[in-house]
Amino acid sequence: MAIGRVVGQAAVTARADGGGGQELAAYVVGQPGRALSPRELHSALRERLPRYLIPLSITVLDALPLTPAGKVDHRALPEPDSAGL
């Protein structure tokens, strides 16, 4: 899978994992007309990135929430969705 052909925008955050550590959560917006599968994205990332950089959850969004300055509003991101990974 060519990630750049299906992912239009992405943001990654470090979230508390409940055990005192942190885990990566990815939020992605697809290219217009492209369907995104979190499972396929996760698999493609495993082929390209070191293990510690692989997000434990990938949440597909219609649009990333933005601040008035046009930056990603990390506080407005929903809880991570790990279903299907």
Side-chain angles (χ1 to χ4, degrees):
M1 166 192 287
I3 295 172
R5 292 185 183 172
V6 294
V7 174
Q9 296 177 310
V12 178
T13 62
R15 299 260 188 175
D17 67 4
Q22 293 188 335
E23 60 185 37
L24 295 178
Y27 299 88
V28 296
V29 177
Q31 292 279 10
R34 297 285 187 145
L36 286 176
S37 164
R39 182 176 291 232
E40 289 178 12
L41 286 173
H42 194 259
S43 177
L45 291 173
R46 280 196 318 245
E47 294 174 4
R48 292 168 175 80
L49 297 174
R51 186 175 176 182
Y52 65 92
L53 290 178
I54 306 297
L56 293 180
S57 65
I58 297 175
T59 304
V60 177
L61 301 174
D62 291 331
L64 292 174
L66 302 177
T67 66
K71 296 182 180 184
V72 175
D73 187 350
H74 290 274
R75 292 184 208 166
L77 290 168
E79 285 298 312
D81 180 12
S82 59
L85 290 184

